[in-house]
Amino acid sequence: NLIYRQVHYSLRTYYCRPLSKHLLGDMSPTRENNDSIPLYAYIATFLHYNIIYLLSVYISLKLLIGSYYNPIGIGGLILLPYISYTQVYRRDEVHDGNQWRELIENFPSAPGILRYLRFSFGKLPQEFVDMEKKPDSQFILACFPHGTGADFRLLMDSVLQNVFPSSIRRTRTLTASILFRIPLIREICLWSGCIDASRKVAEKALERKRTLIVIPGGEAEQLRTEYGVERTVLKNRKGFVKLAMRYNVPLVPVYVFGSNDLFYTRNTFYQARYWLMKKFRICIPL
């Protein structure tokens, strides 16, 4: 009950008054002093947000279409072994991740993107810092808002070793199941410590003393992302609170400023996309 009251108060406070940047993170590409951003930061950001996503879509379409026209060469020799490996032989990876910290912490485009977005953590409460230093420290970090793609999560991973030095290798992020079925995106998710966002997987992770990063708003919050509007979705999404209470794990609300401002969004085909989201839990932001 104490944990629930604290969480309820924190979330209610977020709704009722401006958030303090001194306690929370900030990623605000459209705010003041944009002229001070170096050229390499623009190039790194452009390549990251275009090449990676386009490449993953291209690979997926190439495998699907190629398997139709070349069922033996591509379907039998490439697609079938890949599906067998990822969905059968190494299905366990989505239960506890497959961290590659050296790559994530030194991701080639990360320094430029961090500079372009001015991504930084605010001053953390001393109580949290002291608790994190303990070898058995464990938290549930509830991040808001989701944004169009929760891009801040990957950026967080590249700097978390400076913020959570004691628990970084025990930290896992709950991620939508669909992402583990997309080539390249699946690998990036696993390397950055993502696991399947099912209740059973989350419970197993907490039993292993993992620290969890959750984005409660999920696809509902993602679909409602609007440039310049700070909006969170919590209705019928209190499972993370129940997990914190059940396993007696401190719950830390986190707000990411600027997450909704990374892209301009449109309401085109909103009803159709909303139906897809409700029916299949698939979000297509535009």
Side-chain angles (χ1 to χ4, degrees), residues 60-78:
S60 300
L61 293 177
K62 183 72 174 180
L63 290 174
L64 291 175
I65 298 175
S67 297
Y68 177 79
Y69 289 101
N70 189 358
I72 297 178
I74 296 180
L77 298 181
I78 299 179

Side-chain angles (χ1 to χ4, degrees), residues 200-248:
K200 290 184 178 180
V201 172
E203 290 175 344
K204 288 291 184 181
L206 291 174
E207 291 172 0
R208 296 189 185 104
K209 301 302 179 182
R210 303 298 192 195
T211 285
L212 292 183
I213 297 177
V214 301
I215 308 176
E219 69 282 348
E221 198 169 82
Q222 183 180 13
L223 187 65
R224 293 175 173 84
T225 298
E226 184 177 352
Y227 181 89
V229 177
E230 301 295 339
R231 179 186 294 118
T232 60
V233 178
L234 279 171
K235 185 177 181 181
N236 300 326
R237 292 175 179 268
K238 305 297 192 303
F240 66 104
V241 179
K242 295 177 182 178
L243 284 174
M245 296 172 63
R246 185 179 305 153
Y247 290 90
N248 196 30

Side-chain angles (χ1 to χ4, degrees), residues 31-60:
R31 315 245 168 120
E32 64 279 356
N33 299 327
N34 274 339
D35 56 346
S36 64
I37 300 175
L39 179 61
Y40 82 88
Y42 283 102
I43 296 175
T45 305
F46 174 81
L47 293 177
H48 177 85
Y49 283 103
N50 287 275
I51 299 301
I52 289 183
Y53 291 126
L54 289 177
L55 187 59
S56 64
V57 172
Y58 171 79
I59 293 175
S60 300

